[in-house]
Amino acid sequence: MEHVPPPAEELALLDRELVRLDARRLQLLNRRAWLVSALQQPAAPAARPWGPPPGARAPAWGPPPGPGSRPWGAVPAAAPRSAQNVLLTLGGLLLAIAAIAFTLVSWGTMGIGGRAAVLSTVTLVAAGAPVLLLSRKLAATAEALAALALLLTVLDAYALHAVAAPDTDGLGFTAAASAVLAVLWAAYGLTSGGLRLPLPAAVAMAQWPLFLWAWAAGAPALVFGWALLVTAAFDVVIALRGKGLAVRVAACVGAAATGLGALLVALVESLAAGGPPGAVAPGALLLAGAAVALAGAWRAPNGFAPVAGAVAGLAAVAAVGGVLGAAVPSQWQVIGYLLCGAALLAVVRTRVPRAAGRGVLVASAAVTGGSLVWALPPVAAVLLGPLSLVSEVWRGAPGGVRAALGASVPWSQMIAAPVVLALVAAALGSAYRWWTAVVRAAAPFVSPGEPLRGAAGAGALVLGWSAVLLSATALDAPYPVALALESALVAAALELTVRAMARPAGGPPSGTAVTALVGSVLGAVSVGLLSLASEAATHAVFALLVALFAGAAVRTRAAVARSLFACAAVVWGIVLTAAACASLGPAGYRAAPLMLVVPAVTVLLGARLRRHPVALPVELTGAFGAVVALALAVPDAPFLALALCGVLAAGTAVRPERRPVAGYLAVGLFLAATWVRLAAAEVADPEAYTLPVTVPALVVGVLRRRRDPAASSWTAYGAGLAVTLVPSLCAAWADPGWVRPLLLGVAALVATLLGARFRLQAVLLLGGAVLALVALHELAPYVVQVVGALPRWLPPALAGALLLVVGATYEQRKRDARRVREALGRMR
């Protein structure tokens, strides 16, 4: 058997172990701090062993002494390489500034021979010195002088133009000079034997010749695009075959800048084309750009290949879609781009590398997403348009559905939106239907799974629904046809939900099932709002919704869906009842009793279902109808005193599982109905009406307690006492005489004493509360007089003293309050 120490001994053991752990942690932190400081200080060859300086305390766990270490705080013998780089950079910058100043300021004071001699000498020295410095392993100094030499060659070109060819075109000379400099810098970098700067600089300089040539020649925009694209192709070749990371990075940056510039030029020209012939030339440029991007993606690393593949796919879509769009009206152009984007999916049948193919698929998804974004405005108009009918209910049935929406959308320009939604929905639906084939075809590029299939099915459902609604609106279907169509969509969504939810218990619902569930509710809201334009349509639509959702609640097996459908059916029933009341024509408060029909039905349905999971949600939703009825009855007090609500609550309280809540609610509603009725009748002596109720109620309570001693005093006596005490208290506060307050006080005192004697919580609390309020009402005038006669500083002083006393005896008061609470809790 294991020995289990006593709690005190085990606590002492734990405390000692925690102290040991804290000491060990401190030791490890000291060791870590020492190691960090040692790594940050470079070692010096001639120094004494590691350790703290003389007179300093060694760390708790220091390293062993070793050779080649320097003392703490010693200054390194040589400056760090970062400082050397800063010095070299500043030196090169100063030399470059001096060269520029010489070329711009002092050039004109020298003859042609002197000018040539100075520049050529300085350039040759600056270009040859790095080779010697590299042989002596002074790489940083060599790179600084090489940068100076490159800058001097630019100044040589400027000087050459200013002296030898001042009358030539500046842009043309700059184009030629940039090409020559790019070749010279590349040759210099290849022959220098180790310099890293010239080759990336040559790549950067090579970006300008063709662009500047096109600018100098005044070429059209497409020629600019071709010049940029040729430069981008050159950059791609260098990025794939160049030597050195710096060269490849420079080439990648240049390819991205020039290639995107060429594609943007071509895209603008394609969109501005007046017909298919005018879109062919920009399309050719876009296709050439797509070929360059795809060629780069073919051999690019996995990090860059998807990006290049996406660019290639988008360029191809823009090329072919631009030609197709130029042949159709402007509102149908998006269809051409969408079809081209769908054609990109054929990449899964080719031998394109995996990373590049993934980028092409991303481009296809981007084109599809852009088409859907283009179709969003009319969808939003159809969904949000019926909200305008809430402020103008039953204004009259319009001729077409557009008039009912009240939306100012240019439907003639959005006529292609339903087609876009239908095409994407068909694609997603096909993928959902033949998912195995999709997975097999796309396996080399993506890793599709079951969640993606659910997303495809949900997207197909949503987009298909939107396409049907937009079709009716775009064609301006008659108002009854639009209502019938939306109602049919709701019925279809409910049917799909019922079938999709019919799976083994415990399995999570699919994305399609959840989408259909949410769509059925939202669709019902939409068609319900749309039906508010006509009185007959409102009755017909909401009656149909009640039947559809009630039938779906009966048929479905999923508990959540069943509860949601049942609650929705109750809500539609409440709206239908309100519409019926409005059609019958009574005033709002007179319609309040009719609004209790649905709550009564839910009470009966709850009694029939008993402990079924759907019973409680249905009853709570039905209670909302009772709240609506009370709100309608507010303008008229007699109708506000709806004892029918108390009857419904009492009927609910008959069931044992609802009694703890519904019983108190029924009592409260009955009492409230009585009090409001007496107040509405302006009864001056409410006791004449309440005592005949209180006496038999108390007798019934006594009999209940004799039969069931464990019954609560609130159940037995609470309602009987409250039905008289509360109205009498209100009357006593408004009565200037002394008889009523005296009699009520005596009755309350008797009730308080009886409650304390027989330990009845309800009798004690009700009697004590009424007694306290009566005493407050009677003593209030005298208290006001006494307070007025006292000095003004005395009440605050007394309040402060009271607070001090309570604070000083806080623990005792707290114990007293706890005892009082426990005593009340022990009462019945």
Side-chain angles (χ1 to χ4, degrees):
M1 297 176 62
E2 287 188 26
H3 171 65
V4 179
E9 183 180 352
E10 185 177 0
L11 182 60
L13 290 173
L14 291 177
D15 290 339
R16 287 196 295 271
E17 187 64 25
L18 290 174
V19 171
R20 290 179 56 191
L21 289 175
D22 290 339
R24 178 63 174 169
R25 183 175 183 275
L26 181 61
Q27 188 179 17
L28 292 175
L29 288 175
N30 289 334
R31 173 65 176 175
R32 182 183 182 278
W34 187 91
L35 290 174
V36 171
S37 63
L39 289 175
Q40 292 176 349
Q41 298 172 356
R48 67 183 183 86
W50 287 359
R57 183 178 180 183
W61 181 22
S69 302
R70 63 179 179 86
W72 286 3
V75 180
R81 185 170 295 272
S82 59
Q84 180 185 7
N85 294 334
V86 171
L87 293 176
L88 291 173
T89 303
L90 290 177
L93 182 60
L94 291 176
L95 289 175
I97 293 173
I100 294 172
F102 170 77
T103 304
L104 297 178
V105 178
S106 302
W107 184 260
T109 61
M110 301 179 63
I112 186 62
R115 301 170 187 174
V118 170
L119 273 180
S120 60
T121 302
V122 174
T123 303
L124 290 175
V125 170
V131 179
L132 299 176
L133 293 174
L134 285 176
S135 64
R136 296 177 179 271
K137 298 183 179 181
L138 299 175
T141 308
E143 294 290 347
L145 288 179
L148 178 61
L150 298 181
L151 179 60
L152 287 174
T153 57
V154 177
L155 295 177
D156 289 339
Y158 168 76
L160 181 63
H161 177 265
V163 174
D167 297 331
T168 59
D169 181 37
L171 286 175
F173 184 85
T174 304
S178 60
V180 173
L181 289 178
V183 174
L184 291 177
W185 290 0
Y188 179 56
L190 292 174
T191 58
S192 61
L195 290 176
R196 294 177 295 179
L197 182 61
L199 288 179
V203 173
M205 185 60 70
Q207 310 302 312
W208 299 102
L210 292 178
F211 175 77
L212 293 176
W213 168 79
W215 192 358
L222 286 179
V223 176
F224 270 97
W226 281 108
L228 291 173
L229 184 59
V230 171
T231 306
F234 173 73
D235 292 332
V236 169
V237 173
I238 296 177
L240 295 177
R241 299 183 178 272
K243 295 181 179 180
L245 179 61
V247 175
R248 293 190 175 186
V249 170
C252 287
V253 174
T258 55
L260 290 179
L263 293 179
L264 287 177
V265 170
L267 180 61
V268 172
E269 292 295 318
S270 177
L271 294 176
V280 171
L285 179 56
L286 287 168
L287 285 178
V292 171
L294 188 59
W298 204 281
R299 294 185 57 187
N302 290 337
F304 297 95
V307 178
V311 173
L314 292 175
V317 169
V320 182
V323 177
L324 295 177
V328 297
S330 59
Q331 60 267 27
W332 293 98
Q333 290 180 354
V334 67
I335 303 296
Y337 291 104
L338 179 60
L339 294 176
C340 294
L344 291 180
L345 297 175
V347 72
V348 300
R349 295 291 185 181
T350 63
R351 297 183 179 181
V352 176
R354 177 180 301 178
R358 191 179 300 119
V360 176
L361 294 179
V362 169
S364 176
V367 173
T368 305
S371 303
L372 294 179
V373 170
W374 176 84
L376 280 181
V379 175
V382 172
L383 294 178
L384 302 179
L387 290 176
S388 61
L389 298 174
V390 176
S391 58
E392 300 178 2
V393 177
W394 295 351
R395 65 186 181 187
V401 66
R402 294 185 190 174
L405 294 177
S408 57
V409 177
W411 293 106
S412 59
Q413 301 179 11
M414 306 297 293
I415 192 65
V419 181
V420 171
L421 296 174
L423 289 175
V424 180
L428 292 177
S430 300
Y432 179 81
R433 176 64 179 82
W434 293 284
W435 186 251
T436 304
V438 172
V439 171
R440 189 183 303 111
F445 302 98
V446 294
S447 299
E450 189 63 26
L452 289 180
R453 185 188 184 193
L461 184 61
V462 172
L463 295 178
W465 184 309
S466 302
V468 174
L469 292 183
L470 277 183
S471 300
T473 309
L475 298 175
D476 197 14
Y479 179 68
V481 174
L483 287 177
L485 181 62
E486 290 201 39
S487 301
L489 289 176
V490 173
L494 290 173
E495 180 66 22
L496 180 59
T497 304
V498 171
R499 293 189 177 185
M501 291 289 184
R503 58 170 53 204
S510 63
T512 306
V514 174
T515 304
L517 174 66
V518 177
S520 63
V521 178
L522 295 180
V525 174
S526 177
V527 69
L529 291 175
L530 188 61
S531 69
L532 295 180
S534 172
E535 181 178 357
T538 302
H539 292 289
V541 167
F542 279 100
L544 179 61
L545 290 178
V546 171
L548 289 176
F549 277 84
V554 173
R555 294 177 55 202
T556 187
R557 298 180 182 179
V560 175
R562 180 176 297 172
S563 300
L564 181 61
F565 289 156
C567 294
V570 174
V571 173
W572 310 144
I574 294 173
V575 177
L576 180 62
T577 306
C581 294
S583 298
L584 293 177
Y589 63 88
R590 294 183 181 274
L594 297 178
M595 291 298 299
L596 295 177
V597 173
V598 175
V601 173
T602 58
V603 169
L604 296 176
L605 185 61
R608 176 70 177 83
L609 296 175
R610 291 290 179 178
R611 299 183 182 276
H612 196 279
V614 80
L616 181 59
V618 167
E619 292 180 74
L620 292 178
T621 309
F624 172 73
V627 174
V628 174
L630 291 175
L632 291 175
V634 167
D636 191 85
F639 280 87
L640 180 62
L642 289 175
L644 293 176
C645 293
V647 172
L648 295 178
T652 305
V654 173
R655 297 155 53 194
E657 67 274 11
R658 300 284 185 265
R659 188 170 300 159
V661 177
Y664 292 109
L665 181 61
V667 172
L669 288 173
F670 279 130
L671 293 178
T674 303
W675 299 335
V676 173
R677 175 64 68 178
L678 292 177
E682 297 182 355
V683 175
D685 298 321
E687 294 81 4
Y689 299 90
T690 58
L691 283 177
V693 178
T694 296
V695 173
L698 293 178
V699 172
V700 172
V702 171
L703 296 177
R704 169 70 185 277
R705 291 274 297 177
R706 285 184 178 179
R707 188 181 61 182
D708 183 13
S712 173
S713 60
W714 289 99
T715 304
Y717 308 118
L721 290 175
V723 75
T724 293
L725 291 179
V726 175
S728 298
L729 179 63
C730 297
W733 272 58
D735 192 352
W738 59 273
V739 177
R740 186 192 302 276
L742 177 62
L743 295 177
L744 181 59
V746 170
L749 177 62
V750 172
T752 304
L753 296 176
L754 290 176
R757 170 65 180 82
F758 295 101
R759 306 179 63 80
L760 301 174
Q761 187 182 92
V763 180
L764 176 63
L765 292 181
L766 286 174
V770 172
L771 180 61
L773 291 174
V774 171
L776 177 62
H777 176 264
E778 295 302 315
L779 296 177
Y782 304 102
V783 173
V784 171
Q785 293 179 2
V786 171
V787 172
L790 293 174
R792 294 187 176 181
W793 57 267
L794 189 57
L798 293 176
L802 177 62
L803 292 177
L804 288 176
V805 172
V806 173
T809 60
Y810 175 75
E811 295 297 331
Q812 180 62 35
R813 303 286 79 77
K814 188 176 180 180
R815 287 192 293 270
D816 294 342
R818 187 182 298 112
R819 283 196 294 268
V820 171
R821 185 182 62 187
E822 292 174 354
L824 287 175
R826 287 192 295 268
M827 293 182 178
R828 298 300 301 170

